[in-house]
Amino acid sequence: MERPMTTVEEKVFPGVPADLVEVAERHGRVVAAGDNKAILADFRPDRVAQLIASASLPPDLVKSELLDLRPEGDLFAARIRYTAADGSETVLRSRWIRLPEGWKVTQVRNLPATPPRMHTIGPAEDGHDTPHWEGLREGELRVPQCDDCGNWIWPKRPICPRCHSFKVSWKAVEPTGKVFSWTRTWQPFAPEFSGHLPFVTVLAELPQAGGRRLLGILLDADGVDPQVGQQVQAEFEASPDGGWPVLRWRLSKEES
Ligand SMILES: [Zn+2]
């Protein structure tokens, strides 16, 4: 289907309805102005609670600019850049849907996609898993193994759950896995998720560690649907404040 071509301030948005360009531009202006009532009115009514906490912006915005607006499947995706009083810039991508009551935001996210860091990162209170976290800090993926029967153990237990031996040691294993399962989280279940939604969590199986499975957030997962069995590579993301690093997964390049 041929869509009309729409322009705004020398910008060309092929295939985008003119009224949506107007709505998206106005949306940027009301967000920059902090006009919460007008912002909420732009949200799809059944997703207000999700959308309001999905994206993250600095409080003192002075300017918005519609960078891009394009058809994406049944939706239209707008990238709007917001400038704060200190000059810092934040880009949000909103996806728009035409409902009977008009154009509404049905998804919104910060760009580029960055994974959330939970407040719970780091060893458990009993310290049983501390060597795993120390391993991440030293660039190693460490998983405990029973010295007596060779059983790989995850999560960490004080004794081997198979032979009940107390002799368990931490072994560095190749930091790779295969996607066993995954999910994309859209809801802001925790305050730390704001500005990082949606994100993909992968449960990766480690054949080199007895098939034990480790959870991690998948990097560069915006718009990506992993396949079960797909290879993933571990990355150890340092903490910005000197705290514990965290395990992330990244899809390996296809071997063709
Ligand atoms: Zn054992």
Side-chain angles (χ1 to χ4, degrees):
M1 182 179 74
E2 198 67 18
R3 289 199 175 102
M5 194 168 270
T6 308
T7 62
V8 56
E9 291 170 20
E10 299 103 49
K11 285 204 189 76
V12 179
F13 303 115
V16 176
D19 61 334
L20 176 57
V21 178
E22 221 167 274
V23 168
E25 289 245 298
R26 187 189 43 77
H27 178 72
R29 285 196 299 273
V30 298
V31 170
D35 183 345
N36 287 329
K37 204 174 162 199
I39 296 168
L40 293 185
D42 283 338
F43 287 168
R44 183 174 164 163
D46 58 341
R47 290 201 183 161
V48 167
Q50 174 195 330
L51 293 170
I52 201 165
S54 286
S56 168
L57 281 169
D60 49 351
L61 298 173
V62 293
K63 199 174 80 174
S64 72
E65 187 187 353
L66 179 60
L67 300 175
D68 187 45
L69 187 50
R70 66 177 69 174
E72 272 189 13
D74 297 335
L75 306 174
F76 292 86
R79 282 189 306 125
I80 302 175
R81 181 170 59 210
Y82 296 97
T83 309
D86 65 0
S88 66
E89 295 178 336
T90 307
V91 176
L92 299 190
R93 182 189 63 209
S94 46
R95 289 202 171 112
W96 296 75
I97 187 170
R98 195 201 288 273
L99 296 180
E101 57 267 44
W103 291 105
K104 297 291 171 191
V105 176
T106 186
Q107 297 171 6
V108 64
R109 79 156 308 141
N110 285 62
L111 289 180
T114 50
R117 291 184 65 88
M118 301 304 293
H119 293 325
T120 50
I121 285 171
E125 254 175 56
D126 62 16
H128 278 142
D129 60 350
T130 302
H132 170 75
W133 295 95
E134 287 169 341
L136 297 184
R137 195 165 261 170
E138 287 158 36
E140 280 188 355
L141 184 55
R142 291 178 192 158
V143 179
Q145 186 181 28
C146 174
D147 292 341
D148 284 326
C149 77
N151 185 35
W152 292 93
I153 302 159
W154 190 265
K156 176 69 173 80
R157 310 261 175 88
I159 63 167
C160 171
R162 188 158 76 189
C163 76
H164 301 158
S165 166
F166 281 83
K167 285 186 242 159
V168 172
S169 350
W170 288 84
K171 305 278 172 60
V173 300
E174 198 196 329
T176 60
K178 287 173 184 214
V179 176
F180 178 81
S181 177
W182 66 274
T183 188
R184 177 169 276 120
T185 299
W186 293 90
Q187 297 287 346
F189 293 118
E192 301 99 299
F193 291 178
S194 261
H196 308 282
L197 287 161
F199 60 87
V200 168
T201 309
V202 161
L203 184 60
E205 189 170 87
L206 278 56
Q208 70 279 28
R212 295 292 164 256
R213 298 170 192 148
L214 271 68
L215 271 176
I217 290 176
L218 189 68
L219 298 171
D220 290 338
D222 186 37
V224 173
D225 290 347
Q227 300 295 308
V228 168
Q230 211 172 341
Q231 284 279 344
V232 285
Q233 178 78 38
E235 288 189 17
F236 312 121
E237 185 185 286
S239 164
D241 55 7
W244 292 97
V246 65
L247 166 70
R248 309 293 195 193
W249 293 113
R250 184 187 291 284
L251 289 173
S252 302
K253 299 256 185 299
E254 288 299 321
E255 295 163 30
S256 53

